[in-house]
Amino acid sequence: MGPELPLYDRRFEHDACGVGFIAARDGSASHRMTRLAVDCLRHLDHRGAKAADGTGDGAGIMTQVPRRLLRRDLAAAGFSVDEGRRIGVLMCFLPQEDPRK
């Protein structure tokens, strides 16, 4: 057996509230699908846990970001990406206060 993973504990495994999935039958991407997904989100009360003050943990949609859009923005920032190269987007939420204080 391999070494224990210190950040994993089976006791914390649980199911999510639910997942919705919207896609075109022909697999094509369209703004219509995004509009339908946003409309579904508007009708959700919450995605998961809800606090006593009525706030929830949010809900969102996952979409494919057009490669052409990423390449254009990267080029504007001075980067170039070869056509066949894999690229991705990372989003992180950092504390609003200055960590140097």
Side-chain angles (χ1 to χ4, degrees):
M1 287 194 59
E4 292 294 319
L5 297 174
L7 298 178
Y8 175 78
D9 189 329
R10 184 182 292 273
R11 294 176 296 163
F12 298 113
E13 290 289 332
H14 57 83
D15 292 329
C17 276
V19 174
F21 184 81
I22 297 175
R25 282 191 242 183
D26 65 0
S28 64
S30 73
H31 185 69
R32 179 177 177 271
M33 290 292 109
T34 304
R35 284 194 326 265
L36 285 171
V38 170
D39 191 44
C40 288
L41 281 177
R42 288 185 330 106
H43 291 89
L44 289 177
D45 185 31
H46 73 93
R47 178 189 62 84
K50 200 167 198 181
D53 66 357
T55 60
D57 61 352
I61 61 174
M62 182 171 65
T63 65
Q64 181 180 18
V65 178
R67 229 180 135 71
R68 184 175 51 180
L69 175 68
L70 288 176
R71 288 177 61 124
R72 183 193 69 199
D73 289 348
L74 286 169
F79 298 96
S80 65
V81 179
D82 295 332
E83 185 60 38
R85 185 123 187 207
R86 294 175 67 181
I87 54 178
V89 176
L90 169 72
M91 199 163 135
C92 58
F93 300 92
L94 301 173
Q96 292 184 356
E97 59 274 350
D98 187 346
R100 295 172 288 186
K101 292 182 181 179

